[in-house]
Amino acid sequence: MIVLFGHTKGGVGKTTCAVQTAIARARAGRKVWLVDGDPQGSSMAAIQLRADAGVVPEIACSLFSDSKQFKQQVRLQKDAFEDVILDVGGRDTDTLRFGLMMADVAVVPFAPMSLDLWAMHDMAKAVESVTDVRDGLVTLAVMNRAEPRERSADNAEAAEAVRGISTFRYLEAPLVSRKAFSAATGAGLGVMEMPNPDKKAVAELDRLIASVFAAHTVEA
Ligand SMILES: Nc1ncnc2c1ncn2[C@@H]1O[C@H](COP(=O)(O)OP(=O)(O)OP(=O)(O)O)[C@@H](O)[C@H]1O
Ligand SMILES: [Mg+2]
């Protein structure tokens, strides 16, 4: 299964979610390939730190800065893996379009902030331009950097706004803004691999991953 973490907007948590998902799925015994399609190479850098530190399981990871190479190599190599996780840069690029063409599930993270909510309309257009020419793409909107407060009005309002965009299926599996996510990802570790793991972060990630991989099965 190919899961894309993509958005036309930068800084929404694509790399964080992609790295955490790849590590968690590899730890669950899946044969995983993390593909970094962003010339910034943040996912690749995180996995390099992991490899240098000798952390297992090792994660297969490739960086394709060129959109054509990204498309060709994903097409050629995808069947050698059970889970292919695509992380693409936060702009409206050919790599994002190719990712949307090839993915089974596209996950679109957004923060409960007005700039991010506006950007969801741009991303919806990018998704629609692809779903006009292909079938079977499941597109999920996931709140990231949610406010920690249980009954946050900002979280509720943002969820409501995104639920109103029919291009996305809103996934009730938010990641709260937690230091554990940034610290772990920056070190090439899963949140569950940190010393004294943040149990809430681990539970949120588990729920997100279970929901993402169930989404495809449900709709197939
Ligand atoms: N749930 C979270 N809790 C705390 N910090 C987070 C969370 N998600 C992301 N961040 C932080 O927000 C910043 C942006 O995240 P990330 O790099 O994953 O976004 P991105 O969408 O991949 O950005 P880009 O478009 O630049 O590739 C990073 O500093 C990251 O550590
Ligand atoms: Mg990124």
Side-chain angles (χ1 to χ4, degrees):
M1 171 163 161
I2 305 182
V3 180
L4 166 76
F5 291 89
H7 204 314
T8 46
K9 184 177 186 304
V12 292
K14 301 175 294 290
T15 297
T16 303
C17 292
V19 168
Q20 292 301 320
T21 300
I23 293 171
R25 294 288 286 182
R27 285 173 57 90
R30 307 283 295 179
K31 194 167 184 208
V32 172
W33 184 31
L34 176 58
V35 184
D36 192 343
D38 183 349
Q40 288 186 104
S42 314
S43 279
M44 189 76 213
I47 296 307
Q48 188 65 55
L49 283 175
R50 179 185 184 85
D52 291 347
V55 180
V56 289
E58 293 177 293
I59 310 290
C61 184
S62 306
L63 169 62
F64 300 112
S65 302
D66 177 83
S67 60
K68 246 198 220 160
Q69 275 175 14
F70 173 86
K71 181 185 173 192
Q72 285 165 352
Q73 291 303 319
V74 172
R75 182 175 57 76
L76 282 170
Q77 299 190 54
K78 63 183 168 58
D79 294 335
F81 297 90
E82 290 171 301
D83 295 349
V84 179
I85 312 292
L86 309 178
D87 174 21
V88 301
R91 284 182 304 119
D92 193 351
T93 58
D94 286 345
T95 302
L96 173 61
R97 303 282 166 154
F98 291 146
L100 288 168
M101 285 300 294
M102 294 185 291
D104 298 298
V105 176
V107 180
V108 184
F110 68 96
M113 297 185 303
S114 40
L115 279 178
D116 275 28
L117 298 178
W118 299 337
M120 289 302 266
H121 293 278
D122 285 336
M123 182 56 184
K125 281 190 204 132
V127 170
E128 284 154 23
S129 73
V130 169
T131 51
D132 279 349
V133 294
R134 66 157 286 190
D135 292 323
L137 177 65
V138 178
T139 309
L140 307 172
V142 171
M143 193 181 296
N144 181 36
R145 309 193 77 168
E147 289 199 357
R149 278 179 298 120
E150 190 85 11
R151 284 195 187 79
S152 152
D154 286 357
N155 290 352
E157 281 164 25
E160 191 57 34
V162 171
R163 278 199 177 96
I165 308 175
S166 60
T167 308
F168 303 114
R169 181 137 72 76
Y170 181 74
L171 208 58
E172 192 59 66
L175 298 185
V176 166
S177 188
R178 299 187 191 282
K179 208 171 165 213
F181 287 117
S182 47
T185 307
L189 297 174
V191 282
M192 73 301 283
E193 295 173 323
M194 295 290 274
N196 302 317
D198 177 336
K199 290 199 184 95
K200 287 183 179 169
V202 174
E204 285 162 10
L205 181 68
D206 281 350
R207 179 153 80 140
L208 171 61
I209 292 172
S211 312
V212 166
F213 283 86
H216 182 238
T217 327
V218 169
E219 304 217 354

